[in-house]
Amino acid sequence: MHRALDANNLREVLKYSALMLSELRTSKLSPQKYYDLYMRAFDQLRQLEIFLRDESRHGLPVVDLYELVQHAGNILPRMYLLCTVGSVYIKSKQAPSKDVLKDLVEMCRGVQHPIRGLFLRSYLTQVSRDKLPEIGSDYQGDANTVMDAVEFVLQNFTEINKLWVRIQHQGPGTVREKQEKERNELRDLVGKNLHVLGQIEGVHLEMYKETVLPRILEQVVNCKDDFAQYYLMECIIQVFPDEYHLQTLETLLAACTQLMPTVDTKIVLTQLMDRLSNYAVSSPDVLHEFLQVEAFAKLNNAIGKVIDTQIEMPIVGAMTLFVSLLTFALRVHPDRLDYVDQVLGACVVKLSSGPKLEDARAMKQVVALLSAPLEKYNDIVTALTLSNYPRVMDHLDDGTNKLMAMLIIQSIMKNNSCISTADKVEVLFELIKGLIKDLDGNAYRGEDFQEEQNSVARLINMLDNEEPEEMLKIICVVRKHLMTGGTRRLPFTIPPLIFSALRLVRQLESQGGDMTGEDLPATPRKIFQILNQTIEVLSSVPCPELALRLYLQCAEAASDCDLEPAAYEFFTQAFILYEEEIADSKAQVTAIHLIAGTLQRINVFGVENRDTLTPKATGGGYSARLLKKPDQCRAVYACSHLFWVDDLDGIKDGERALLCLRRALRIANAAQQMANATRGSSGSVTLFVEILNKYIYFYEKGSPHITPSDIQSLIELINTEMQSDNNGNTRTHSDPFFTSTLRYMRFQKQKGGLMGDKYELIKL
Amino acid sequence: MNYLRGAFKPACNISITFTDGKNRKQVPVKKDNGQMVMNPLFHSQETIAGKVCIEPYQGKKVEHNGVKVELLGQIEMYFDRGNFYDFTSLVRELDVPGEIYEKKAYPFEFPTVEMPYETYNGVNVRLRYVLKVTVTRGYAGSIVEYQDFVVRNYSPLPPINNSIKMEVGIEDCLHIEFEYNKSKYHLKDVILGKVYFLLVRIKIKNMDLEIRRRESTGAGANTHVETETLAKFELMDGAPVRGESIPVRLFLTPYDLTPTHKNINNKFSVKYYLNLVLVDEEDRRYFKQQEITLYRLKDESS
């Protein structure tokens, strides 16, 4: 052929070209190999085209040439040559390009073999690409309109697609998989047509709407091949501009519902929505177009239809669709909450029509569905107004439900959003009830549970409202929900509730005392009643230590509010707890210290009440009954503070304080002796030093009952104890403590002043 | 020796030239030995005129009992080779008996010769026109020289030229409908048409359109039919599906065709058929044959 080309011998050229092209008639090659062959032939044909274009080299007008190549006996070489000459023909402008193109595309019908036809038509596409009579091209004229170009490409596309679809009908079913693969390799050839179509200049919207799209879709729908439908829809969506999609949404969607049931419509729709929403986001000007065409309503309808018609579609598919629709709605119409709600509503309908969700992937999609609005609005409050939101959540299984609830809480935390009305709180807790209640009998395991409950606790702290009344309502609501939580949860959830309530109390208090009128719903008194009940529950859990602490907290708060009865009540409860429930000695010690500390700070009690309460704590009471002597000792000297509150109006009962200290001293002595008896050596002097410090404290505070001599004697006592201690064995850590105490006293002495004077009396 | 040689050699050289031989169109004709020679072309009703030159060899004289030129239309059956049947025979006496000593030219003319049949070269039969110059000699046998020429006759455009349209099929297997735009084509025509597949249950490999020539010779019991395929043109490659319509476009130019001849002098007929052949994957052939009439159209360039 090359030799003939060089020799400008037309007849030989054509003969050899045909010979070469006959190679393409083989059906033994796989598409891949065939493609290689095609490419090589393609290169050769380019040379041929160059040769043919130059009329001087072969001396035949192109019209004759066009006829001449049709003499070839075999159709495939004939058609390749015809296409080549045809392209020359168009270039020469001796005939209107539309006629030539039409002829070519018509004649190509002769090749019905799928692969060969596919390549032939793709060749046609390739050679005609730059010769379409589109707007702005040289080939456009009176007779050649864009319409013709479109017509040509469409027709070629139709045929090429038919061929492509037909591949699968070749050969037995056993090689189906292989065929699918082959078709996959070939699909670009088909897609190229659409690509060309998309690039034709001057296809305006009207034309697209009237002609192009319906024709393509008709083809897509009619080919009845899932693989092709899927790919082509994808192509359509990718190739044409967004604006067109928007305007023809209805048609496009209608086609979607007509696809084969096995087509993965959801991906198609998802892509479409993605594109549209990107488009919407890209410029704000187009938004009104969306409204104009009611994009959302149409999409919504279509999706509903798709789901309805494709009964076999797994639930996960439906969910994926909903997710994309929702995303679309969120992106395009962030202000239209009702859209979101609609989507969720549809989702509910779908979910409730089927059995309970079991598919993990579907579950995941639902979670995605539910998280989308959260992320978008960054504000749970918005989500709470969606009435269908909780209904969707109902369909999740417990694990996922919890997960979702966690997500919700995390979202709240992240955004610091504040939920400020009782209604919303109600809804919110309805949402996260997976965390709050036992939905089934599952055991609570490990960290997850703790983590979850901690989150709930944190959430409770986020609830806040300036308005006490509303806040009280919130608290009531929360409480109502929490109470259903069961014993394992209460220890986590009650404390934040209590503190939240206490915060409210303080707030009320700070607003002024006149708020205590009976007609107001939110009085501290009422709150304390609620609290009392709440904690009671906790103590039955059983979690007495926690309950005790909470009681004490409440008592303190009550005292701040000057509610003596309430405070007293709390204390009573605390004491009861202590007596009845707290058995562990260590816990007891802690409890005693807590009680003592609280009691000391509370100043609301009248003398009578105080007298009832304090002894309980001190000598005769709990302190003395502790198991270990040092604990006793420490508890007792701590109690001494109960009688000496270093406030202006605090009680200053130095005598009883001294009594306490003396008792402590006695106990310390006893402890020392016990240690001697049991271990043969005296114990540490730590206790003594500690008591000494207490002495010094009260002395400094000016208690009249603590005399310098007391202190002095105590110091001596310690010294002797220490000596006896030093005899035998190791020096204990109390040594430095004692030394520093002494140093403190010396320092005070040297400093002089009022305090110095006091210390002067003590001899060291 | 010289004498002997002279006895076997023709005594003179005879050449026949046509009056407008230089300008007249020549067409290639295949001879018996396979060589192509160019022969002048005439049409019916034309005047065939020319010159016969008789040139005796050097130093010889030709005695003769008369010189004549004949225009013969002959049909030759190959099974009866050498036996010509003349359907046309015209004679012109050129010379009275005498002697020729030197080169002598005789003009001749056959005005408006009726030549109803075309020259035809078939498988079993041949129709030819020939000018035969005979120098009659009494004792040594006549000297004969032939000059072939070709006759082609134009037909007018047929007044009725219907398309051929037909639906054929094998039940539950294959149903097609085909259409050719005409039933009468001139020799440089293009056959246009389409094949429409109504039902395809077999796996078709390809579809060809063949042009077949059916030449029947003899008459009655001796009729001998010979069919040859002149063109095989692939219309379709691969298996079509239902509803597919395959275009047909076949240029007749490249093929060596003649017009249809019907019952030429009760000796032979030549008919043409379009044969649509479908081949399936097991190489079974399904075909449908349709007769077409070919004619020669006047305004052809040839």
Side-chain angles (χ1 to χ4, degrees):
Chain A
M1 178 180 148
H2 280 283
R3 209 173 307 135
L5 275 179
D6 293 339
N8 291 346
N9 185 333
L10 178 66
R11 224 156 258 287
E12 293 286 290
V13 166
L14 292 181
K15 193 174 124 200
Y16 286 120
S17 313
L19 212 60
M20 170 197 73
L21 290 167
S22 300
E23 292 294 316
L24 284 169
R25 296 177 68 202
T26 176
S27 45
K28 294 190 183 76
L29 294 177
S30 71
Q32 196 61 49
K33 289 266 183 287
Y34 193 84
Y35 181 73
D36 293 344
L37 185 61
Y38 164 79
M39 283 320 287
R40 291 173 65 174
F42 185 79
D43 290 344
Q44 300 296 322
L45 286 172
R46 289 275 68 71
Q47 295 197 9
L48 177 65
E49 191 185 332
I50 292 167
F51 167 73
L52 294 175
R53 203 178 296 161
D54 189 356
E55 202 180 313
S56 65
R57 280 178 70 185
H58 54 76
L60 209 62
V62 70
V63 191
D64 294 350
L65 214 51
Y66 193 68
E67 190 192 314
L68 192 61
V69 291
Q70 293 189 55
H71 294 172
N74 282 315
I75 184 152
L76 202 69
R78 180 164 78 233
M79 288 318 301
Y80 272 103
L81 288 175
L82 192 62
C83 292
T84 315
V85 177
S87 92
V88 176
Y89 198 15
I90 297 171
K91 261 215 165 99
S92 73
K93 294 187 193 163
Q94 291 175 18
S97 74
K98 76 162 178 185
D99 294 346
V100 178
L101 290 174
K102 207 169 164 195
D103 189 46
L104 288 178
V105 79
E106 201 49 49
M107 291 310 286
C108 278
R109 275 170 186 275
V111 182
Q112 291 285 331
H113 184 275
I115 292 181
R116 293 199 282 272
L118 213 54
F119 277 96
L120 172 65
R121 283 183 180 277
S122 128
Y123 177 71
L124 177 59
T125 313
Q126 225 155 340
V127 294
S128 65
R129 172 68 198 97
D130 52 347
K131 296 166 188 83
L132 297 172
E134 53 190 337
I135 287 179
S137 91
D138 298 343
Y139 308 103
Q140 204 222 354
D142 299 335
N144 302 326
T145 61
V146 184
M147 206 56 223
D148 296 319
V150 172
E151 194 63 28
F152 164 72
V153 179
L154 270 178
Q155 201 170 351
N156 201 25
F157 160 73
T158 310
E159 293 300 324
I160 208 168
N161 184 44
K162 277 188 195 159
L163 292 173
W164 184 49
V165 170
R166 214 181 293 163
I167 292 181
Q168 63 164 331
H169 301 306
Q170 308 269 311
T174 45
V175 290
R176 187 73 187 242
E177 208 163 290
K178 194 169 144 240
Q179 281 168 356
E180 290 288 301
K181 207 174 127 250
E182 290 178 356
R183 288 187 64 196
N184 214 354
E185 291 167 3
L186 292 172
R187 64 178 194 179
D188 284 353
L189 298 181
V190 185
K192 207 153 57 181
N193 263 295
L194 284 179
H195 190 66
V196 169
L197 202 51
Q199 284 179 341
I200 294 180
E201 295 283 331
V203 179
H204 48 78
L205 184 59
E206 210 52 37
M207 188 189 291
Y208 176 76
K209 210 170 177 176
E210 298 295 325
T211 318
V212 180
L213 186 66
R215 287 275 301 274
I216 297 177
L217 288 179
E218 187 195 344
Q219 176 59 29
V220 171
V221 170
N222 287 340
C223 77
K224 297 223 185 327
D225 177 69
D226 47 355
F227 195 76
Q229 288 182 337
Y230 171 63
Y231 175 69
L232 292 176
M233 287 309 277
E234 205 175 275
C235 276
I236 294 172
I237 291 170
Q238 297 302 333
V239 162
F240 296 107
D242 302 314
E243 192 193 337
Y244 288 9
H245 286 317
L246 194 57
Q247 297 298 335
T248 56
L249 204 53
E250 202 154 7
T251 331
L252 201 55
L253 293 173
C256 280
T257 57
Q258 290 167 26
L259 298 182
M260 298 291 281
T262 40
V263 179
D264 205 348
T265 325
K266 65 171 186 291
I267 298 186
V268 174
L269 283 172
T270 309
Q271 280 178 343
L272 177 61
M273 286 186 274
D274 276 357
R275 272 204 68 161
L276 286 180
S277 50
N278 279 336
Y279 176 56
V281 171
S282 66
S283 76
D285 320 337
V286 298
L287 200 62
H288 71 273
E289 286 180 31
F290 279 85
L291 295 174
Q292 198 186 336
V293 299
E294 295 175 317
F296 175 81
K298 283 177 185 169
L299 281 173
N300 195 8
N301 269 339
I303 285 177
K305 254 188 223 155
V306 166
I307 290 172
D308 284 348
T309 47
Q310 302 195 4
I311 303 160
E312 297 100 83
M313 177 158 54
I315 193 104
V316 57
M319 287 306 124
T320 318
L321 274 179
F322 283 128
V323 171
S324 14
L325 180 59
L326 188 71
T327 321
F328 172 79
L330 287 174
R331 293 186 67 181
V332 179
H333 306 289
D335 49 338
R336 294 295 294 266
L337 264 181
D338 54 329
Y339 284 167
V340 178
D341 206 31
Q342 264 182 42
V343 178
L344 292 175
C347 186
V348 169
V349 173
K350 175 66 188 166
L351 285 174
S352 45
S353 68
K356 182 98 178 155
L357 272 183
E358 260 145 27
D359 186 357
R361 285 178 307 149
M363 209 73 83
K364 224 167 161 185
Q365 289 299 333
V366 179
V367 171
L369 183 74
L370 291 171
S371 330
L374 289 184
E375 275 161 30
K376 175 69 188 178
Y377 295 114
N378 275 335
D379 184 5
I380 185 71
V381 181
T382 327
L384 292 181
T385 54
L386 300 169
S387 63
N388 282 313
Y389 201 92
R391 288 164 64 195
V392 175
M393 275 193 77
D394 284 346
H395 289 280
L396 293 172
D397 72 4
D398 301 332
T400 327
N401 209 331
K402 278 186 192 160
L403 192 72
M404 196 57 232
M406 284 298 279
L407 280 177
I408 294 174
I409 295 177
Q410 274 160 17
S411 148
I412 298 174
M413 298 296 164
K414 204 169 71 196
N415 303 308
N416 268 329
S417 41
C418 207
I419 297 111
S420 51
T421 69
D423 297 346
K424 283 181 183 163
V425 172
E426 174 84 44
V427 181
L428 176 63
F429 274 82
E430 198 59 42
L431 284 183
I432 61 165
K433 67 183 169 207
L435 295 179
I436 291 175
K437 301 189 215 187
D438 299 338
L439 291 172
D440 49 13
N442 271 355
Y444 319 94
R445 279 178 309 269
E447 290 176 13
D448 285 354
F449 178 71
Q450 281 200 5
E451 182 69 25
E452 283 163 22
Q453 296 309 319
N454 282 336
S455 306
V456 177
R458 286 165 69 191
L459 172 66
I460 294 170
N461 278 327
M462 299 292 293
L463 309 175
D464 195 15
N465 192 332
E466 288 294 310
E467 213 33 61
E469 199 173 317
E470 195 61 37
M471 188 62 200
L472 179 63
K473 273 194 203 152
I474 292 176
I475 288 172
C476 287
V477 170
V478 174
R479 178 169 166 269
K480 189 181 83 198
H481 282 283
L482 292 183
M483 285 307 161
T484 58
T487 54
R488 294 289 304 270
R489 290 193 175 78
L490 288 176
F492 290 98
T493 50
I494 292 290
L497 178 66
I498 303 287
F499 281 109
S500 166
L502 291 179
R503 195 170 60 212
L504 175 62
V505 171
R506 296 225 167 78
Q507 189 190 339
L508 283 171
E509 183 65 19
S510 65
Q511 281 172 0
D514 55 329
M515 298 290 281
T516 47
E518 282 302 311
D519 51 331
L520 282 169
T523 59
R525 195 188 305 277
K526 265 200 176 154
I527 297 169
F528 282 125
Q529 277 166 15
I530 295 168
L531 288 180
N532 203 346
Q533 288 158 16
T534 314
I535 303 174
E536 213 165 0
V537 177
L538 193 57
S539 60
S540 69
V541 164
C543 197
E545 287 149 62
L546 187 60
L548 181 80
R549 281 161 200 256
L550 292 176
Y551 274 133
L552 294 176
Q553 280 291 343
C554 293
E556 197 180 337
S559 120
D560 288 345
C561 299
D562 289 329
L563 288 173
E564 190 181 342
Y568 185 76
E569 179 60 27
F570 284 125
F571 258 102
T572 323
Q573 294 289 352
F575 283 158
I576 293 170
L577 270 182
Y578 178 82
E579 282 169 14
E580 292 176 356
E581 304 282 352
I582 300 180
D584 179 51
S585 62
K586 276 227 176 66
Q588 279 180 343
V589 175
T590 330
I592 283 288
H593 281 280
L594 281 170
I595 292 173
T598 319
L599 206 50
Q600 191 247 352
R601 270 200 303 280
I602 290 177
N603 48 17
V604 70
F605 289 133
V607 181
E608 196 182 327
N609 281 342
R610 173 166 282 274
D611 282 349
T612 339
L613 291 176
T614 39
K616 280 262 187 197
T618 52
Y622 306 133
S623 313
R625 264 179 260 138
L626 288 172
L627 186 60
K628 289 190 204 148
K629 286 287 176 190
D631 288 343
Q632 277 182 19
C633 173
R634 286 190 179 112
V636 170
Y637 72 63
C639 285
S640 65
H641 285 282
L642 291 180
F643 306 106
W644 189 279
V645 181
D646 195 27
D647 275 340
L648 281 180
D649 52 349
I651 48 163
K652 291 197 167 60
D653 192 344
E655 192 181 348
R656 288 175 79 173
L658 184 61
L659 261 168
C660 279
L661 292 180
R662 287 221 174 110
R663 177 175 290 175
L665 211 48
R666 253 199 329 270
I667 297 168
N669 252 326
Q672 196 76 343
Q673 278 159 17
M674 217 151 74
N676 266 331
T678 48
R679 272 173 270 158
S681 66
S682 56
S684 92
V685 290
T686 324
L687 284 174
F688 293 113
V689 181
E690 284 166 8
I691 296 168
L692 172 64
N693 272 296
K694 291 288 171 197
Y695 268 95
I696 295 168
Y697 171 78
F698 286 116
Y699 182 66
E700 276 185 18
K701 296 293 174 198
S703 165
H705 301 280
I706 311 283
T707 58
S709 56
D710 285 338
I711 296 173
Q712 225 162 331
S713 60
L714 188 53
I715 294 171
E716 277 159 22
L717 176 69
I718 293 168
N719 274 330
T720 40
E721 284 291 330
M722 283 193 23
Q723 271 155 19
S724 73
D725 199 32
N726 287 348
N727 288 345
N729 36 41
T730 53
R731 304 177 67 85
T732 53
H733 67 280
S734 59
D735 239 11
F737 187 21
F738 181 55
T739 335
S740 57
T741 314
L742 290 179
R743 194 166 50 231
Y744 170 75
M745 291 165 67
R746 280 194 206 100
F747 169 73
Q748 288 292 0
K749 247 185 204 178
Q750 282 164 10
K751 210 169 70 175
L754 194 64
M755 204 50 82
D757 293 345
K758 268 192 172 175
Y759 279 98
E760 276 305 316
L761 301 172
I762 304 168
K763 292 196 185 69
L764 292 170
Chain B
M1 280 306 279
N2 227 354
Y3 174 79
L4 265 177
R5 203 185 298 150
F8 293 109
K9 251 174 83 177
C12 60
N13 187 21
I14 303 173
S15 67
I16 304 164
T17 50
F18 294 101
T19 316
D20 50 357
K22 291 230 165 55
N23 305 321
R24 187 158 283 277
K25 191 173 165 64
Q26 306 266 319
V27 291
V29 169
K30 203 179 191 179
K31 276 177 61 176
D32 295 345
N33 56 12
Q35 280 181 335
M36 302 294 278
V37 288
M38 300 304 278
N39 280 338
L41 175 68
F42 288 91
H43 308 298
S44 189
Q45 310 283 344
E46 259 188 309
T47 296
I48 296 169
K51 230 165 37 173
V52 175
C53 264
I54 299 175
E55 188 180 9
Y57 288 109
Q58 195 67 46
K60 288 209 170 179
K61 64 167 189 195
V62 179
E63 264 179 75
H64 62 84
N65 296 331
V67 177
K68 62 176 178 182
V69 61
E70 290 170 284
L71 190 155
L72 299 173
Q74 300 180 314
I75 296 171
E76 181 188 18
M77 305 293 207
Y78 288 166
F79 59 81
D80 191 14
R81 195 174 279 272
N83 197 1
F84 300 100
Y85 170 80
D86 296 349
F87 55 89
T88 297
S89 179
L90 298 171
V91 186
R92 293 281 181 278
E93 295 291 342
L94 296 180
D95 206 355
V96 293
E99 287 177 348
I100 302 168
Y101 299 97
E102 52 189 6
K103 182 177 173 184
K104 196 170 178 186
Y106 305 97
F108 66 90
E109 189 186 54
F110 297 100
T112 52
V113 189
E114 189 72 32
M115 293 181 287
Y117 309 128
E118 280 200 0
T119 304
Y120 174 72
N121 253 315
V123 184
N124 285 322
V125 70
R126 179 160 74 136
L127 188 152
R128 68 166 188 166
Y129 289 91
V130 70
L131 281 174
K132 183 181 176 189
V133 175
T134 314
V135 179
T136 324
R137 288 195 296 183
Y139 53 95
S142 301
I143 303 168
V144 180
E145 178 68 31
Y146 296 100
Q147 170 65 52
D148 281 72
F149 64 92
V150 175
V151 173
R152 284 180 179 174
N153 288 328
Y154 301 125
S155 316
L157 270 174
I160 304 165
N161 200 351
N162 293 325
S163 63
I164 299 175
K165 195 170 181 182
M166 192 173 239
E167 192 187 323
V168 290
I170 309 162
E171 197 164 347
D172 293 332
C173 190
L174 181 70
H175 268 277
I176 60 171
E177 189 183 286
F178 61 84
E179 182 179 353
Y180 309 121
N181 61 338
K182 300 177 197 168
S183 53
K184 293 167 186 165
Y185 293 93
H186 61 81
L187 295 180
K188 307 278 164 164
D189 216 343
V190 188
I191 298 175
L192 298 175
K194 59 170 179 268
V195 183
Y196 187 69
F197 285 82
L198 298 165
L199 175 78
V200 192
R201 291 262 172 83
I202 49 172
K203 286 188 173 153
I204 293 171
K205 204 163 66 179
N206 57 351
M207 176 168 70
D208 295 334
L209 188 64
E210 293 175 346
I211 300 174
R212 314 188 85 198
R213 175 157 67 192
R214 191 151 164 264
E215 179 186 292
S216 60
T217 47
N222 292 328
T223 308
H224 190 79
V225 178
E226 189 73 38
T227 309
E228 57 181 324
T229 304
L230 297 180
K232 192 176 166 193
F233 188 76
E234 195 182 21
L235 284 183
M236 183 186 72
D237 171 30
V241 291
R242 202 161 64 92
E244 203 66 64
S245 139
I246 308 298
V248 178
R249 184 189 293 161
L250 174 58
F251 290 88
L252 297 178
T253 329
Y255 307 109
D256 183 23
L257 303 173
T258 68
T260 299
H261 299 304
K262 274 200 187 108
N263 197 17
I264 302 299
N265 226 323
N266 281 326
K267 290 289 178 193
F268 73 99
S269 301
V270 178
K271 289 180 175 175
Y272 284 91
Y273 293 90
L274 280 179
N275 193 21
L276 186 68
V277 186
L278 292 132
V279 184
D280 76 2
E281 287 193 331
E282 276 113 49
D283 280 328
R284 281 191 293 257
R285 290 158 63 87
Y286 308 83
F287 58 87
K288 180 68 191 172
Q289 203 158 284
Q290 285 290 313
E291 192 186 343
I292 52 167
T293 308
L294 294 181
Y295 63 96
R296 201 181 292 279
L297 193 66
K298 169 82 180 160
D299 28 345
E300 287 173 74
S301 54
S302 53

